[in-house]
């Protein structure tokens, strides 16, 4: 009887130990930091919050978003790549120049997201990155200061004497979108610097970031600017909702608005756990889903999907100038150097 009791106690103790181990493993699996992915994203903070909530709705707390301006995002990703590896699992929101350079260096995960067939053919890339949105480089102006008959209709008009000391754009040294704008204008104007030489002779000013361009125009510091359309459209929407007139106007240039794409990519990290890899791929899938695209549309970004329309405020018919991003990526250092030489 005594011998049997010892056997019972041994079995019971073993069961408790196994149960405790299983429970501990379960707790570790739920709370393990490896479960969360990090995403570097450029865009309005309200949009990032909506996207995070939508992605985590059925998944729990699995996403850490680091919100950055497009220039800081580009700088951080490139610096991390050069100094040991990109720390973000996913990054989205800078210009194609960064992604092409990283892809050619083998820094991007070769993943084709689910739902890619829903994208318009023009937005399906051959690289290891996916286009999520597009925005357009346009001319902005102050509607209070400029009569309708004095508003320029083209990029070429900005070199006219009447616009001397009146034009502002962001500095490509500090903004990746500004670098894309400079590169696309350089491409549009025959891949030479005559156009920018004329702008410099007309005393073109540089701002630190693109969002400063519409702000300074609204504050009447400048009459005109070259910048992406989305920030101006958001300011116009805010004015409509507030019931007051907007002082920011948009010109869709006759040569064509400058198409600037916003890609997303997963960093190539062999040490990433399988769970994190699955989450990173799920996030890329999510960003081209109709749900995510409708969120970004609310913030005036152009959808890449074939089943969604343009944001309100964009005309039905306008010209678009598209570029060979691979060519510009191969020459981006040269473009930056030559632009800086003009100043």
């Amino acid at each position: 009887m005594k011998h049997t009791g010892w056997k019972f106690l041994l079995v019971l103790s073993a069961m408790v130990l196994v149960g405790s181990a299983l429970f501990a493993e379960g707790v570790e699996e739920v709370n393990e930091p490896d479960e969360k992915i990090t995403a570097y994203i450029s865009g309005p903070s309200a949009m990032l919050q909506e996207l995070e909530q939508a992605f985590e709705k059925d998944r729990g707390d699995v996403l850490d978003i680091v919100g950055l301006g497009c220039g800081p995002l580009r700088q951080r990703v490139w610096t991390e790549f050069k100094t040991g590896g990109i720390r973000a699992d996913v990054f989205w929101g800078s210009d194609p120049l960064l992604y092409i350079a990283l892809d050619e260096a083998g820094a991007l995960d070769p993943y084709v997201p689910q739902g890619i067939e829903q994208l318009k053919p023009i937005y399906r890339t051959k690289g290891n990155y996916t286009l999520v949105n597009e925005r357009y480089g346009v001319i902005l102006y102050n509607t209070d200061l400029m009569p309708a008959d004095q508003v320029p209709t083209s990029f070429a008009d900005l070199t006219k004497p009447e616009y001397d000391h009146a034009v502002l754009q962001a500095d490509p040294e500090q903004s990746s979108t500004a670098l894309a704008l400079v590169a696309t204008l350089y491409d549009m104007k025959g891949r030479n610097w005559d156009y920018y030489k004329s702008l410099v002779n007309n005393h073109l000013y540089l701002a630190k970031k693109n969002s400063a361009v519409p702000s300074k125009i609204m504050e009447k510091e400048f009459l005109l600017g070259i910048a992406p359309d989305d920030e101006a459209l958001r300011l116009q929407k805010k004015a409509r909702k507030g019931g007051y007139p907007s002082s920011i106007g948009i010109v869709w240039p006759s040569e064509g608005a400058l198409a600037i794409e916003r890609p997303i990519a997963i960093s190539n990290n062999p040490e990433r756990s399988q769970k994190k890899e699955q989450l990173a791929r799920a996030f890329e899938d999510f960003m081209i889903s109709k749900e995510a695209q409708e969120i970004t549309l609310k913030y005036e970004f152009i959808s890449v999907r074939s089943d969604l329309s343009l944001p309100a405020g964009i005309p039905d018919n306008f010209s678009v100038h598209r570029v060979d991003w691979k060519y510009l990526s191969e020459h981006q250092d040269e473009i930056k150097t030559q632009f800086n030489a003009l100043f």
Side-chain angles (χ1 to χ4, degrees):
M1 186 73 179
K2 190 174 181 180
H3 181 68
T4 305
W6 275 109
K7 291 174 73 175
F8 173 76
L9 288 173
L10 286 171
V11 171
L12 181 61
S13 299
M15 290 175 64
V16 170
L17 288 171
V18 171
S20 299
L22 288 172
F23 177 75
E25 286 180 8
V27 171
E28 184 180 357
E29 185 178 349
V30 171
N31 295 324
E32 189 179 355
D34 198 40
E35 294 290 339
K36 297 182 74 171
I37 59 169
T38 299
Y40 295 167
I41 303 180
S42 171
S45 57
M47 181 183 76
L48 305 192
Q49 185 176 3
E50 283 195 54
L51 290 169
E52 184 173 13
Q53 289 173 349
F55 182 69
E56 291 185 334
K57 181 174 54 181
D58 299 320
R59 296 180 175 89
D61 185 16
V62 295
L63 177 65
D64 280 336
I65 290 182
V66 180
L68 298 162
C70 56
L73 185 150
R74 175 190 174 95
Q75 184 178 22
R76 179 179 292 197
V77 169
W78 189 254
T79 300
E80 289 179 355
F81 165 65
K82 288 292 190 179
T83 57
I86 301 169
R87 295 179 178 85
D89 298 290
V90 186
F91 50 100
W92 163 55
S94 189
D95 62 274
L97 301 173
L98 170 67
Y99 294 79
I100 293 170
L102 289 171
D103 196 13
E104 291 178 346
L108 304 184
D109 191 30
Y111 176 63
V112 178
Q114 296 182 32
I116 195 76
E117 68 280 356
Q118 297 297 328
L119 273 58
K120 295 177 183 177
I122 196 170
Y123 296 128
R124 300 178 197 175
T125 70
K126 295 180 180 178
N128 293 317
Y129 56 90
T130 303
L131 301 185
V132 174
N133 299 113
E134 187 167 71
R135 61 212 301 215
Y136 298 124
V138 294
I139 299 169
L140 307 182
Y141 68 97
N142 186 292
T143 57
D144 295 333
L145 297 179
M146 296 198 73
D149 60 349
Q150 294 181 16
V151 176
T153 60
S154 67
F155 287 116
D157 286 345
L158 300 182
T159 64
K160 292 180 177 179
E162 56 262 42
Y163 303 126
D164 188 24
H165 290 278
V167 183
L168 177 70
Q169 79 159 69
D171 185 351
E173 276 291 333
Q174 303 189 60
S175 165
S176 66
T177 303
L179 175 59
L181 287 171
V182 168
T184 49
L185 272 170
Y186 165 80
D187 180 84
M188 173 185 278
K189 298 301 181 180
R191 296 181 180 175
N192 64 66
W193 293 102
D194 292 346
Y195 177 69
Y196 265 106
K197 286 177 182 177
S198 298
L199 283 180
V200 170
N201 290 336
N202 228 22
H203 301 95
L204 173 72
Y205 288 87
L206 299 180
K208 288 186 177 180
K209 53 186 180 180
N210 278 289
S211 59
V213 177
S215 296
K216 290 183 178 295
I217 290 173
M218 288 181 66
E219 293 163 4
K220 300 183 180 181
E221 293 184 43
F222 291 89
L223 287 177
L224 298 156
I226 301 171
D229 66 312
D230 54 285
E231 178 71 18
L233 288 171
R234 288 194 289 273
L235 290 169
Q236 289 178 343
K237 179 189 284 187
K238 183 178 179 181
R240 287 195 300 271
K241 287 184 175 180
Y244 57 88
S246 171
S247 60
I248 193 80
I250 301 175
V251 173
W252 296 88
S254 57
E255 306 102 320
L258 307 171
I260 301 174
E261 300 154 345
R262 284 170 53 92
I264 190 171
I266 301 170
S267 59
N268 188 4
N269 181 1
E271 297 181 0
R272 183 183 294 122
S273 71
Q274 184 178 0
K275 182 66 174 178
K276 286 184 70 173
E277 185 71 18
Q278 290 171 348
L279 281 170
R281 293 182 175 193
F283 186 69
E284 187 166 333
D285 296 344
F286 168 73
M287 285 310 304
I288 62 170
S289 71
K290 194 169 186 179
E291 180 182 13
Q293 291 282 298
E294 286 176 339
I295 292 173
T296 60
L297 265 175
K298 286 169 52 181
Y299 294 89
E300 320 310 328
F301 291 107
I302 310 303
S303 174
V304 293
R305 289 178 63 96
S306 57
D307 55 355
L308 291 174
S309 303
L310 292 171
I314 295 182
D316 293 331
N317 297 310
F318 65 98
S319 299
V320 177
H321 179 76
R322 300 190 180 278
V323 299
D324 180 351
W325 286 108
K326 190 173 188 305
Y327 171 86
L328 294 179
S329 179
E330 291 169 352
H331 294 81
Q332 60 180 305
D333 290 337
E334 173 189 341
I335 289 170
K336 287 174 69 174
T337 298
Q338 292 180 348
F339 181 89
N340 290 336
L342 294 177
F343 285 83

